[in-house]
Amino acid sequence: METHFDVIVIGGSFAGLSAAMQLARARRRVLVLDGGRPRNRFAPHSHGFFGQDGKTPADIIRDARSQLLAYPTARVAITEALTAEREAGRFVVTCADGTSSSADRLILATGMRDDLPALPGLEARWGHSVLHCPYCHGYEVADKQLGVLATHPLSFHQAMLVPDWGPTTWFTQGIVEPTADETALLEARHVRIEASRVVEVLGNAPEMTGVRLADGRVVGIDALFVAPRTHQASPLAQQLGCALKDGALGSFLVVDDGKQTSVPGVFAAGDAATEWANATFASAAGVTAGVAAHRSLIFGL
């Protein structure tokens, strides 16, 4: 039998649980559907998240879920949401476990999927010695030999940032040709520019000792920063007809100041709805979405 809720939150990581908490505290019936594959599951620890620094992502989620379920109007189901559609003024969501639920509002906290460059040894080290964000992981590799692997033209900005954590080599991969002004800025930051492509990551995974270049040379590198291409982790936003915007690395959901998408009644928070992926940003966006969804139940759309 289909169960009806005030709000269904799809995605049970930092953004989704933060959204659900606001609704549970407003004594609204809220269901969180969690497929159990958060984007940060590859990282051994989460850093830079106020009050949670150094904890594993799994521990943060477990504790937050336990706190949410202390509220009697909150439910969490560990299952993947497969379809979402609007029927007779409400949203109906069907799940991989065969269940179906409906709600007056939806919050999509479905996250993004990272597509790493097809480079031998990269995927096995993702989240450990192959990293995406110096603010999240730079402190833990400080003063080691660091690399930045270009995946898009804006890689220059990452190459400029990383030297604050250690000596840096920028591997342009034939993707970026720095201008004279950019080269001067990088040299002032003591960044070594390497034009020969990286063809292999070396060392005993998940650690690394260096990278092999196309010309046969080996460069000693202890950690490599990579900005992967991204894709929506779930097809639900497209099913519902939510508008997307192209970003430097992938498309993200368009939302207003209250995190409402282009589809009335559908809100979105977290990595799926921003170019600025970060645990704290995701949680804050979830709070905004939860409050806005609650207000829309009272004041209308």
Side-chain angles (χ1 to χ4, degrees):
M1 178 182 292
E2 182 183 285
T3 305
H4 187 76
F5 295 86
D6 292 309
V7 182
I8 294 176
V9 179
I10 304 176
S13 189
F14 297 172
L17 292 173
S18 295
M21 180 68 80
Q22 312 312 308
L23 292 154
R25 287 187 55 78
R27 304 195 297 175
R28 293 289 182 161
R29 286 174 50 80
V30 57
L31 170 65
V32 177
L33 299 173
D34 184 8
R37 294 193 301 274
R39 187 182 186 185
N40 59 8
R41 66 190 182 276
F42 301 101
H45 300 95
S46 179
H47 291 287
F49 190 178
F50 186 69
Q52 306 293 332
D53 191 65
K55 294 183 180 179
T56 69
D59 283 347
I60 296 172
I61 291 170
R62 183 201 64 223
D63 292 347
R65 185 186 297 157
S66 175
Q67 291 169 6
L68 173 66
L69 290 175
Y71 294 90
T73 59
R75 283 183 55 192
V76 175
I78 307 302
T79 183
E80 182 181 2
L82 298 180
T83 66
E85 57 185 340
R86 187 155 201 157
E87 293 182 2
R90 63 181 183 172
F91 298 97
V92 178
V93 180
T94 59
C95 297
D97 64 0
T99 60
S100 178
S101 302
S102 63
D104 298 312
R105 302 288 186 269
L106 288 184
I107 297 178
L108 303 179
T110 44
M112 299 292 270
R113 184 183 78 248
D114 295 304
D115 284 346
L116 293 167
L119 188 63
L122 209 63
E123 187 173 350
R125 295 167 173 83
W126 180 235
H128 293 266
S129 55
V130 175
L131 308 165
H132 76 293
C133 171
Y135 295 104
C136 302
H137 304 291
Y139 191 87
E140 283 62 47
V141 294
D143 299 323
K144 296 184 178 181
Q145 293 296 320
L146 308 179
V148 174
L149 188 75
T151 58
H152 61 96
L154 293 180
S155 176
F156 162 77
H157 297 278
Q158 194 173 39
M160 285 289 291
L161 289 174
V162 171
D164 270 12
W165 286 273
T168 302
T169 301
W170 184 34
F171 301 96
T172 59
Q173 295 297 95
I175 294 172
V176 186
E177 182 66 39
T179 65
D181 288 344
E182 289 172 339
T183 298
L185 290 169
L186 290 164
E187 289 176 348
R189 296 278 286 156
H190 305 291
V191 176
R192 176 188 171 193
I193 302 173
E194 179 54 70
S196 185
R197 290 187 306 107
V198 174
V199 296
E200 184 183 5
V201 182
L202 306 173
N204 294 321
E207 305 304 322
M208 65 185 298
T209 57
V211 295
R212 191 184 311 279
L213 305 182
D215 61 13
R217 287 180 294 130
V218 170
V219 178
I221 295 290
D222 299 305
L224 188 64
F225 286 91
V226 182
R229 297 287 177 176
T230 60
H231 301 276
Q232 292 287 319
S234 167
L236 298 181
Q238 290 93 324
Q239 291 176 16
L240 291 161
C242 300
L244 293 133
K245 181 178 180 180
D246 290 334
L249 297 172
S251 298
F252 58 94
L253 291 167
V254 177
V255 293
D256 63 16
D257 290 344
K259 305 304 178 185
Q260 185 167 221
T261 70
S262 61
V263 176
V266 179
F267 298 78
D271 293 358
T274 181
E275 285 192 281
W276 302 97
N278 174 283
T280 306
F281 291 161
S283 181
V287 171
T288 302
V291 170
H294 175 244
R295 291 175 62 86
S296 78
L297 291 167
I298 297 170
F299 296 106
L301 296 168

